[in-house]
Amino acid sequence: MPTALQTVSHPRQNQLLASLSDADWKRWEPYLEWVDLPLGKVLCRSGSTPGYVVFPTTAIVSLMYLAEDGASSEVAVVGLDGVVGLSLFMGGDVSPHEAVVQSAGQGYRLSAHRVNAEAESGGPVMRMLLRYTQALIAQVTQTAAYIRHHSIDQQFCRRLLQGLDRLPSNKMAMTQELAANLLGVRREGVTAAARKLQLAGVIAYRRGHIEVLNRHRLEQGACEFDASSKARARSLMTMAA
């Protein structure tokens, strides 16, 4: 339960929940449970079956690919635009990724039982979830292509934009070590990229907190590839609404 000092987010701050019809919302609302999502919390481990799906409202969750040698890299980002735990309604049950809170915040969860019942009934809600799944698969594919064809500087710019698009302000908590782990690169490369952006007046970096000062310059650093990718994702989700 939230503490007396916490400002509780509304579940419909999540864009998928906001897109539900009035009838579907009234059916879902009694079963949604508020959850605190602190930094580093693991929502689902790779190879396990999620007990819930989680709809972030103010948190950001990283979907991580874990290699056998212990190396990891981020393959997708989920915030107020989506849901964590897609395997529950895709029939596979077992999650292929580890879902870890990368930016602390809040969200709402729905039990596996309710999700399975929704999947069996079909209808507009299921179509909406499948559309989001398609958008997430596109994000994973685009991430793989981006890593192959772009420099660490460009990857860092893109990752900052992904966080910025899922937060209510232009500030985010992100250490250089965390950024390196998310991108699957050496910390020295991220340090150099962050220094260039700070010297250019694009970001301000202080003790693990990044403030974006010039979004347009940051988008230029990420290149047009990311802009076209986001446009395709928005098209998919518009169709889902």
Side-chain angles (χ1 to χ4, degrees):
M1 293 294 293
T3 68
L5 298 178
Q6 280 182 302
T7 300
V8 179
S9 62
H10 191 277
R12 300 195 89 173
Q13 285 179 232
N14 179 278
Q15 294 171 4
L16 293 183
L17 294 179
S19 72
L20 294 175
S21 68
D22 289 342
D24 288 325
W25 169 246
K26 289 177 182 177
R27 180 162 50 84
W28 273 39
E29 186 179 15
Y31 302 105
L32 289 167
E33 179 184 358
W34 178 90
V35 287
D36 185 34
L37 300 175
L39 176 66
K41 181 179 178 64
V42 178
L43 301 183
C44 181
R45 295 197 179 278
S46 176
S48 67
T49 300
Y52 300 84
V53 295
V54 177
F55 296 89
T57 51
T58 60
I60 296 178
V61 179
S62 294
L63 301 186
M64 306 293 294
Y65 170 75
L66 306 180
E68 291 184 2
D69 63 1
S72 65
S73 61
E74 185 181 64
V75 296
V77 184
V78 181
L80 53 75
D81 58 324
V83 59
V84 178
L86 292 176
S87 59
L88 280 177
F89 56 82
M90 290 296 291
D93 292 338
V94 175
S95 174
H97 308 118
E98 183 157 296
V100 185
V101 177
Q102 179 265 315
S103 181
Q106 303 174 26
Y108 287 80
R109 68 183 188 181
L110 191 67
S111 71
H113 171 73
R114 297 303 311 175
V115 174
N116 289 331
E118 195 67 46
E120 291 174 3
S121 66
V125 173
M126 190 59 189
R127 287 196 294 272
M128 177 267 288
L129 292 173
L130 290 174
R131 283 291 185 187
Y132 175 72
T133 302
Q134 188 177 359
L136 190 68
I137 291 172
Q139 185 186 159
V140 172
T141 303
Q142 291 153 7
T143 297
Y146 202 91
I147 291 172
R148 181 176 178 83
H149 297 290
H150 293 77
S151 66
I152 293 177
D153 288 5
Q154 291 171 315
Q155 292 179 48
F156 184 58
C157 287
R158 176 178 184 260
R159 184 57 187 81
L160 292 181
L161 286 169
Q162 287 180 315
L164 201 62
D165 287 343
R166 293 165 174 84
L167 291 171
S169 75
N170 65 335
K171 299 178 181 180
M172 66 188 79
M174 181 180 290
T175 64
Q176 293 179 5
E177 182 177 2
L178 173 60
N181 289 337
L182 294 175
L183 297 177
V185 300
R186 293 174 60 85
R187 179 175 175 175
E188 292 81 358
V190 171
T191 299
R195 185 182 296 116
K196 290 176 187 176
L197 291 176
Q198 181 150 276
L199 290 174
V202 179
I203 66 170
Y205 180 82
R206 299 181 185 87
R207 296 182 180 180
H209 289 79
I210 296 175
E211 180 180 3
V212 176
L213 305 176
N214 190 326
R215 181 182 176 117
H216 178 66
R217 291 280 300 279
L218 195 63
E219 289 174 341
Q220 289 180 323
C223 91
E224 72 284 351
F225 180 96
D226 192 47
S228 62
S229 298
K230 287 192 287 188
R232 287 193 292 271
R234 282 194 298 269
S235 176
L236 282 172
M237 293 317 299
T238 299
M239 294 172 68

